[in-house]
Amino acid sequence: MQIEFISALPEGAYAIAIPLQKGVVINKGLAESEAFSGMGLDSAQLVAVCAAEKFDGDAGSLAQLYVTRDGRTYRLLLLGTGSGSVADCEKAGAALAARLLTCEGHALLDVRTTRLDDNAICHILAGASLRAWRFDKYRTTIPERQKARLETISVLGAPASIAHPWAETAAVLEGVALTRSLVTEPSNVIYPESFVERAQALKALGVELTVLTRDDMSKLGMGALLGVAQGSVRPPRLLVMRWDGTKGAQAKPVALVGKGVTFDTGGISLKAPTGMEDMKYDMAGAGAVIGTIKALAGRKAKAHVVGVCGLVENMPDGNAQRPGDVVTSMSGKTVEVINTDAEGRLVLCDAMTWVQRTYQPEIMVDLATLTGAMVVSLGHEYAGIFSNDDGLAAQLIEAGARAGDPLWRMPLGAAY
């Protein structure tokens, strides 16, 4: 979806959205404000519509009416932004996109009346962009009324200073879109080799790529990762993406390590068939890492970050590892495999050892769909975090709260 910032009303057909915070007073002054000019509305009409729609500016609430301006009829939406917080603004943007996605090609977000700041506008647009994302690539038939139509949101009245914060926000949204696309693709399309192919586009943003093959990893002694991969005809890969926006000033990078099991059958310890199609999502940790690297490079972030994805497919063929097998990891530690569906830790341990030895990072964070038990513990509202560093854990939890993706710290004491 295209986002543009304009200084005058656009031509042609579009829907109009006017954001209003919670507790907004619907009166003559509002009806005669700049955003409503030329619509011929009076305060009584606005009060009646808001009462009928029970609209009071709550985040994500909408009140709809049709108005005439310059001889053309427009859909007008009053858009509740709640307190104006990050979460409320994103909720408002999502509600706007959900309402218009299949019925309007162009939306005008008119912020002249409310004078939202750069941050609030960016988060409304972020919420709209995230909600409007669709993956229709493999749909051969879509009912006409379900087709996505919303292509452009024009913002009228934003301050000129919004250019930089929006460019940074847009880079994050592009990273999210990449992650979503990779995770949503089926496993016959995204597997270790094709995942690496998708990463090649990052070179244009200045990201350095290194790829380790099965032979490379074998020479390094990555017996744990290779043990998981040995039952698949898809060869494994270790994908390394390095972004240094500090131009060498920061010697030691932050390391992000992602579990990239592009499909997880469970191996010989086969999963139950119900829901197994969802195991294409077992590379979501790696998907999050590549999306983060794209976002950092797109923002030209002044950070030195290495993203590593351990990419394998866990299959149960005649060469697959068996329960009871013993593998030797790159660190030299031997591991007895009791359940081949506990493959994620085997992939991650070798990837993490390689990062430690190659870059000596002071901070290393791994991201993984490691166990469904986390959903049992926390549901879908929080992601679990385990950490041996209280300061780093606090930083990650704070960042999650700011971004609207909350984390809950799990215990990592000696008893565990």
Side-chain angles (χ1 to χ4, degrees):
M1 186 170 64
Q2 180 183 356
I3 305 294
E4 62 179 13
F5 298 92
I6 58 177
S7 58
L9 290 171
E11 299 292 330
Y14 49 86
I16 303 169
I18 299 177
L20 299 171
Q21 285 195 325
K22 184 172 175 60
V24 62
V25 178
I26 310 297
N27 56 21
K28 182 178 180 182
L30 179 65
E32 294 178 352
S33 63
E34 194 173 16
F36 291 94
S37 63
M39 296 180 184
L41 287 173
D42 58 36
S43 56
Q45 287 176 288
L46 281 180
V47 168
V49 168
C50 291
E53 300 271 12
K54 296 182 174 57
F55 177 85
D56 65 354
D58 269 343
S61 60
L62 291 166
Q64 177 175 298
L65 63 158
Y66 288 88
V67 298
T68 300
R69 177 186 270 167
D70 298 329
R72 183 188 288 271
T73 299
Y74 298 91
R75 183 199 306 261
L76 173 63
L77 295 170
L78 306 182
L79 176 63
T81 58
S83 66
S85 66
V86 168
D88 282 359
C89 286
E90 289 190 356
K91 187 174 182 180
L96 178 64
R99 175 65 68 90
L100 300 180
L101 184 61
T102 59
C103 57
E104 297 278 358
H106 187 188
L108 172 69
L109 181 67
D110 193 335
V111 300
R112 292 178 295 172
T113 289
T114 43
R115 299 298 181 190
L116 296 171
D117 62 23
D118 294 346
N119 187 58
I121 295 171
C122 284
H123 284 290
I124 291 173
L125 296 173
S129 297
L130 292 169
R131 178 60 180 83
W133 185 87
R134 290 264 296 256
F135 193 83
D136 293 333
K137 181 177 178 180
Y138 300 109
R139 297 185 66 180
T140 54
T141 57
I142 305 177
E144 195 65 27
R145 66 180 178 277
Q146 294 179 14
K147 290 182 179 179
R149 303 186 185 283
L150 187 59
E151 296 179 349
T152 304
I153 295 180
S154 301
V155 184
L156 177 61
S161 57
I162 200 170
H164 178 67
W166 173 245
E168 294 204 329
T169 301
V172 172
L173 295 174
E174 289 177 8
V176 172
L178 173 60
T179 297
R180 285 177 166 182
S181 296
L182 289 170
V183 171
T184 308
E185 287 276 14
S187 295
N188 60 328
V189 173
I190 291 298
Y191 43 90
E193 292 166 297
S194 62
F195 190 106
V196 169
E197 289 172 8
R198 295 285 181 101
Q200 299 304 312
L202 298 184
K203 290 180 179 178
L205 297 175
V207 176
E208 298 176 15
L209 298 185
T210 304
V211 181
L212 274 61
T213 66
R214 188 196 301 271
D215 288 344
D216 296 327
M217 290 184 277
S218 180
K219 291 173 184 176
L220 290 166
M222 293 188 181
L225 185 152
L226 293 176
V228 177
Q230 72 187 43
S232 174
V233 297
R234 307 285 195 188
R237 293 288 185 267
L238 191 76
L239 171 65
V240 185
M241 300 163 288
R242 178 172 173 266
W243 167 256
D244 187 2
T246 72
K247 302 188 188 316
Q250 181 182 330
K252 292 186 177 182
V254 171
L256 305 177
V257 183
K259 173 187 172 184
V261 181
T262 57
F263 193 79
D264 182 20
T265 66
I268 296 298
S269 306
L270 195 66
K271 292 177 179 290
T274 303
M276 195 192 288
E277 69 277 6
D278 287 347
M279 288 302 101
K280 67 178 185 177
Y281 300 139
D282 215 18
M283 42 65 70
V289 169
I290 189 174
T292 300
I293 295 296
K294 180 171 184 178
L296 290 169
R299 295 175 70 156
K300 302 299 180 189
K302 291 181 173 59
H304 185 190
V305 182
V306 171
V308 177
C309 300
L311 301 167
V312 301
E313 190 176 62
N314 189 21
M315 298 292 281
D317 85 342
N319 193 48
Q321 68 179 1
R322 297 152 292 265
D325 284 2
V326 175
V327 296
T328 303
S329 70
M330 185 179 175
S331 69
K333 188 176 185 67
T334 54
V335 182
E336 183 181 12
V337 178
I338 303 300
N339 186 318
T340 62
D341 195 24
E343 84 297 332
R345 66 208 69 188
L346 298 178
V347 173
L348 287 168
C349 73
D350 277 344
M352 294 169 77
T353 298
W354 184 88
V355 172
Q356 287 175 321
R357 293 184 178 179
T358 306
Y359 290 103
Q360 296 85 45
E362 293 184 6
I363 294 173
M364 182 162 56
V365 179
D366 78 76
L367 299 95
T369 47
L370 210 54
T371 172
M374 195 56 66
V375 180
V376 176
S377 300
L378 300 175
H380 296 283
E381 284 67 38
Y382 285 82
I385 174 175
F386 294 84
S387 180
N388 61 356
D389 185 314
D390 292 341
L392 176 59
Q395 285 182 296
L396 291 169
I397 290 169
E398 181 187 358
R402 288 202 312 268
D405 290 305
L407 302 174
W408 192 270
R409 192 172 184 186
M410 306 296 283
L412 198 63
Y416 295 95

